[in-house]
DNA sequence: ACCTGAACACCGTTCAAGT
DNA sequence: ACCTGAACACCGTTCAAGT
């Protein structure tokens, strides 16, 4: 059995935000409800299937009603991405106080973001590719809340300004590369009905293998290439990154632009 | 001045493929011509602006004519991605014979792919996120031609089977993370007209900085965060990866699944 | 035999007319 | 004052009617 990374379900019904201005009538259409419905829809049917009209139908309303709560399809996509990261940011395991040291903190955050990618493989590409709202925001840790707590935590563990920023960027690259590769690999065309159907790995392999004439090296290594080693690679590359960042705390620099300040 | 990475233009008119079956009338609509026009169009106007109808207009035909050469919009996107990587694969600098050793080879390929990302920032997200056609294909080096020469080159330099495959995966993660981060950062909303207009970095910075109340750490590090250190980070992370892969040649393993076979 | 106009079944979004 | 039906300006794609 593949060792799935366990993580508390982000889907669980959340307590309604304690916002006194929300009327709370019988199932009022609200922005969070629209965003949550969109996430559920994409998880089930894929990004390409999400239209304003179909999403509205899911909620029992007409498409135009959605425009009261989100200002358009593009903004809705951004809101989904934000909601996913905000959920993680509120999670106990990634609070700075929960971490033993900065390495532990980075491991917790890394596995938290990985859990998001695995629970929402159809949405994660959006987390990676939607243009950031400001020059200091980078995917996938792309909210001010995240950057703030991330940088503050590193500094509280002895990182200097430049070192913390270098670590933020290096950490983001690492997450982006590994998680995007992972979700790309498991991106099999979705037939909305037979989701339970595991795509018969062996049959898929055989079908694809016929086209390998003329590529002897690939053919010879096909089994190794198709092997799912994502979890191990992720862990291995993460530890390697932590080693690299350790050197950084000891005074080295990654983006090292010493000299421009005079 | 920012040190742009120089690379021969992939856009240059290529000699027509020596395919005797192509009639070569006056400007016949061909698949390569459609694909090339699509790349040019997205570079100029952005992915969201590409429609079959508008692309057809660019070529002086109606939309339906395109379906003779590409079987639909999705296939066109895949064809664009393939074309970009095929161009690079044909380039002198990334031929195995051109490389001094495997490190040199990986550096050449890395900078080649980075050049693609920088020349086609609107298209690179597609390279990263389009679902691969087979389980052994991973972005961004996502063609059998690339995998074949990549793996063969590493093996000719002493990599074992598992080591070569581990290196392929680690290299792809590295490229994906860094290049996607880079193009995401420079993703500024495009007004088709004023492309020459450099978005006045300082003004953009000031405008975005007003919203930093409540995020003192980000505010304090905003300048460092917004600094464009992508080239240095890329080089630094690449060297770090090469060190990691060196250990791998010496017999260590990344995905290390020793034990499941016994 | 080949090409393409008109048409189909959708989109996102707007806005006037309804309550 | 608020909500929404009908409408607008598009999509990707098909297919019959033209040459």
């Amino acid at each position: 059995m593949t060792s799935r990374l366990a993580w508390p379900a982000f889907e669980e019904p959340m307590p309604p935000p304690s916002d006194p201005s929300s009327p709370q009538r019988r199932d009022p259409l609200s922005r969070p409800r629209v965003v949550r419905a969109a996430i559920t829809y994409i998880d089930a049917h894929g990004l390409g299937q999400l239209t304003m009209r179909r999403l509205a139908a899911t909620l029992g309303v007409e498409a135009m009603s959605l425009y009261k709560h989100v200002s358009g399809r593009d903004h809705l996509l951004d809101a989904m991405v934000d909601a996913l990261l905000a959920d993680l940011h509120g999670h106990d395991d990634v609070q700075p106080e929960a971490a033993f040291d900065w390495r532990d903190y980075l491991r917790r955050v890394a596995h938290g973001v990985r859990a998001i990618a695995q629970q929402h493989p159809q949405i994660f590409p959006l987390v990676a590719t939607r243009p950031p709202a400001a020059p200091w925001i980078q995917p996938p840790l792309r909210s001010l809340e995240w950057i703030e707590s991330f940088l503050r935590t590193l500094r509280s563990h002895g990182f200097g300004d430049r070192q913390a920023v270098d670590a933020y960027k290096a950490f983001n690259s690492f997450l982006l590369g590994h998680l995007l590769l992972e979700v790309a690999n498991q991106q099999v065309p979705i037939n909305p009905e037979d989701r339970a159907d595991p795509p018969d790995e062996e049959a898929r392999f055989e079908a694809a293998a016929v086209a390998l004439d003329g590529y002897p090296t690939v053919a010879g290594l096909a089994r190794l290439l198709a092997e799912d080693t994502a979890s191990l690679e992720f862990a291995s590359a993460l530890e390697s990154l932590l080693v690299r960042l350790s050197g950084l705390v000891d005074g080295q620099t990654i983006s090292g632009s010493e000299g421009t300040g005079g």
Side-chain angles (χ1 to χ4, degrees), chain A:
Chain A
M1 62 189 71
T2 77
S3 74
R4 294 244 170 175
L5 194 144
W7 196 270
F10 294 117
E11 320 295 328
E12 288 181 69
M14 294 165 228
S18 57
D19 181 356
S21 73
S22 80
Q24 277 300 353
R25 305 190 203 138
R26 204 193 67 80
D27 263 24
L29 205 56
S30 68
R31 184 184 165 92
R33 212 157 85 86
V34 170
V35 173
R36 225 139 44 202
I39 292 173
T40 302
Y41 192 94
I42 295 190
D43 282 342
H45 306 104
L47 176 58
Q49 298 298 312
L50 179 78
T51 70
M52 298 300 276
R53 290 161 131 102
R54 292 206 267 245
L55 175 59
T58 286
L59 290 160
V61 298
E62 298 296 319
M64 336 77 60
S65 306
L66 300 179
Y67 288 83
K68 280 271 111 131
H69 304 97
V70 294
S71 50
R73 191 177 189 273
D74 266 20
H75 287 259
L76 174 58
L77 297 182
D78 285 334
M80 292 171 51
V81 168
D82 290 348
L84 249 35
L85 270 315
D87 276 357
L88 177 62
H89 189 252
H91 199 283
D92 288 344
D93 291 13
V94 298
Q95 301 311 308
E97 307 79 42
F100 174 67
D101 59 11
W102 65 266
R103 273 167 259 253
D104 188 30
Y105 177 71
L106 291 188
R107 283 194 202 98
R108 286 165 178 267
V109 175
H111 285 96
V113 177
R114 182 161 187 252
I116 293 182
Q118 298 202 312
Q119 287 164 4
H120 307 282
Q122 311 268 352
I123 307 179
F124 193 77
L126 288 180
V127 178
T129 57
R130 290 250 108 200
W136 42 76
I137 296 183
Q138 297 185 345
L141 255 36
R142 46 185 302 157
S143 72
L144 285 172
E145 284 75 16
W146 261 116
I147 311 179
E148 178 69 19
S149 73
F150 188 93
L151 292 176
R152 188 166 35 193
T153 303
L154 290 193
R155 290 223 298 187
S156 77
H157 284 288
F159 281 63
D161 284 5
R162 164 131 268 136
Q163 283 72 32
V165 169
D166 282 352
Y168 170 68
K169 294 181 178 178
F171 189 65
N172 278 337
S173 299
F174 158 76
L175 287 178
L176 216 49
H178 278 269
L179 299 183
L180 217 44
L181 208 55
E182 218 168 319
V183 303
N185 274 345
Q186 67 195 47
Q187 204 81 308
V188 22
I190 294 196
N191 305 5
E193 313 316 320
D194 48 29
R195 292 260 300 167
D197 200 13
D200 193 347
E201 190 164 333
E202 193 56 25
R204 187 159 162 258
F205 185 91
E206 297 296 341
V210 301
L212 288 183
D213 293 345
Y215 306 96
T217 311
V218 183
L221 301 179
R223 299 252 163 214
L224 283 178
L225 283 163
E227 225 172 62
D228 180 12
T229 54
S231 288
L232 287 161
E233 281 163 31
F234 185 77
S236 164
L238 175 56
E239 294 308 315
S240 175
L241 175 70
L242 294 180
V243 170
R244 183 161 162 248
L245 295 184
S246 299
L248 194 137
V249 184
D250 298 341
Q252 299 171 27
T253 185
I254 286 179
S255 56
S257 65
E258 57 274 298
T260 59

